[in-house]
Amino acid sequence: MAFQDESAVRLLPGLARSYAPIGRPPVMLCDTKNKDYVSISGAIISNGQFYFEVREQEGFKRKGLTRFLTNCRKQLRNDLLLIWDNAPAHKSQVVKEYLAQQNSDHPGIWLEYLPTYSPELNPIEQVWGYLKSKLSNRFFQNTKALKLEVIRVLKEVKKNKKLIISFFRNHELNCYQFFS
C-alpha cells in the first residue's frame, strides 16, 4: 500500500523564522514576480520505501501522471494499492483509460481515494513539509538550480528509512497506527 501525492516548489522562497543580530532583521533579495516552479510527485510505503520524480517544465497532469504510475510500479517492484487524493487529474479520462489497459486478470495498480479535503490523512504530505522546511529562507536563481536541490533533499529522505517510517507515526495520522 503506497500513499501518493503531487506538490510544487516555487522559486519564490518560503520564509521561516531565523536568527539575526539585534536591530538588523534579515533581508532576502529575490525576484517576487517570478512564479516559476518545479513539480514533484512521490509515493511512500510504511516499510520506508519512497519513490519520487521531479519535473522542471512538465507537471503531473494526465499523461505525465500515467508515466509516473508506470515508473513507480517498476521502481517499487510490486503491485500497488495506491491511496491518493481526489485531484482532478487522478479522475481524468486518461488515467481511467490507463487503468483499463491493465491486464484484467491481474491488474498492477489499484486505486483508493482519500476523503475530500483531507491532506492530513496522507503521510506523504509530511515529506513535502520536510522538503519545504529544508528549502525555506533560500533563494534559487532558476528552476534548474531549484530542481537540483529538491532532488538532493529527496534523495536524502529516500536513504533515511527511519525518517520515512516516522511520517506514518505523525500525531495527525492516528488512523494509520496499525503500521507500527
Side-chain angles (χ1 to χ4, degrees), residues 127 130 156-158 160-168:
V127 176
Y130 179 86
E156 172 187 302
V157 170
K158 186 174 183 166
N160 190 341
K161 288 192 182 297
K162 285 184 180 179
L163 177 63
I164 294 168
I165 291 168
S166 78
F167 296 141
F168 285 85

Side-chain angles (χ1 to χ4, degrees), residues 74-165:
K74 286 178 187 172
Q75 288 295 312
L76 297 178
R77 292 191 180 100
N78 55 0
D79 295 339
L80 283 178
L81 169 57
L82 199 65
I83 299 174
W84 59 5
D85 59 25
N86 288 278
H90 296 173
K91 294 186 172 190
S92 71
Q93 190 61 36
V94 172
V95 171
K96 288 177 184 175
E97 290 169 5
Y98 170 81
L99 294 171
Q101 289 175 0
Q102 297 184 92
N103 181 338
S104 59
D105 295 331
H106 184 74
I109 299 176
W110 295 268
L111 301 177
E112 285 297 326
Y113 294 93
L114 289 166
T116 307
Y117 303 110
S118 57
E120 72 280 358
L121 296 178
N122 195 342
I124 199 161
E125 295 286 354
Q126 304 293 319
V127 176
W128 306 148
Y130 179 86
L131 168 67
K132 290 175 182 180
S133 72
K134 291 285 192 176
L135 299 175
S136 63
N137 296 338
R138 298 180 59 195
F139 173 68
F140 298 92
Q141 292 288 334
N142 52 47
T143 54
K144 187 174 185 82
L146 177 60
K147 178 182 177 184
L148 290 173
E149 186 61 11
V150 166
I151 290 170
R152 187 195 68 73
V153 172
L154 291 178
K155 281 183 176 178
E156 172 187 302
V157 170
K158 186 174 183 166
K159 288 180 186 174
N160 190 341
K161 288 192 182 297
K162 285 184 180 179
L163 177 63
I164 294 168
I165 291 168

